[in-house]
Amino acid sequence: MSLNMVNLVGRTGADPEIRYFDSGSVKCRLTLAVNRRSKRDEGPDWFELEIWGKTAEIAANYTKKGSLIGIQGSLKIDTWSDRNTGVNRSKPVIKVDRLDLLGSKRDNESYNSDNDEF
């Protein structure tokens, strides 16, 4: 048996990027900052999120930089060849299956977008 499940709670690092395809598909990309439980000043861990379909539209319409969200999804590795050097590259991406909008409307409105602390 194998299991690929990711659960995270954090704040979005930027406004969502939404893309509509000719096929009718919708894709949203977000970054998510997640603080560690340790007391040390290490800063957050950053994750790239990929969201599709109706959930992507919800993310685009109801989140912005600093929004508190919870996600459930799976880890995938995107791979590509660098155009300039031809070197193979890869990065981890979380394919989101479930999105929970956690902050109150007031929390999200009062977040100072000039502050990069999460």
Side-chain angles (χ1 to χ4, degrees):
M1 180 173 106
S2 62
L3 181 65
N4 181 355
M5 185 183 297
V6 177
N7 292 293
L8 297 170
V9 174
R11 293 202 179 267
T12 55
D15 290 338
E17 297 174 22
I18 188 126
R19 186 170 174 198
Y20 295 90
F21 296 92
D22 292 338
S23 66
S25 296
V26 182
K27 176 181 171 182
C28 179
R29 286 198 171 270
L30 278 173
T31 55
L32 186 68
V34 178
N35 289 325
R36 293 180 180 239
R37 286 186 171 187
S38 68
K39 303 283 185 201
R40 292 181 267 156
D41 290 333
E42 293 178 351
D45 291 322
W46 288 92
F47 299 92
E48 185 167 332
L49 309 180
E50 179 180 281
I51 310 167
W52 288 89
K54 184 71 174 166
T55 307
E57 291 179 328
I58 291 168
N61 291 327
Y62 296 101
T63 66
K64 63 181 180 179
K65 181 178 179 179
S67 295
L68 182 64
I69 63 171
I71 62 99
Q72 184 175 52
S74 57
L75 183 65
K76 71 175 199 162
I77 306 296
D78 279 352
T79 58
W80 70 97
S81 179
D82 187 292
R83 289 183 192 169
N84 297 326
T85 64
V87 172
N88 290 333
R89 300 220 178 233
S90 64
K91 68 177 175 181
V93 176
I94 298 171
K95 185 174 182 288
V96 175
D97 299 318
R98 179 180 170 150
L99 170 68
D100 293 312
L101 305 172
L102 300 176
S104 70
K105 184 175 180 183
R106 188 172 34 148
D107 287 342
N108 291 334
E109 287 175 355
S110 67
Y111 173 76
N112 180 354
S113 63
D114 295 331
N115 181 357
D116 287 334
E117 298 286 320
F118 290 98

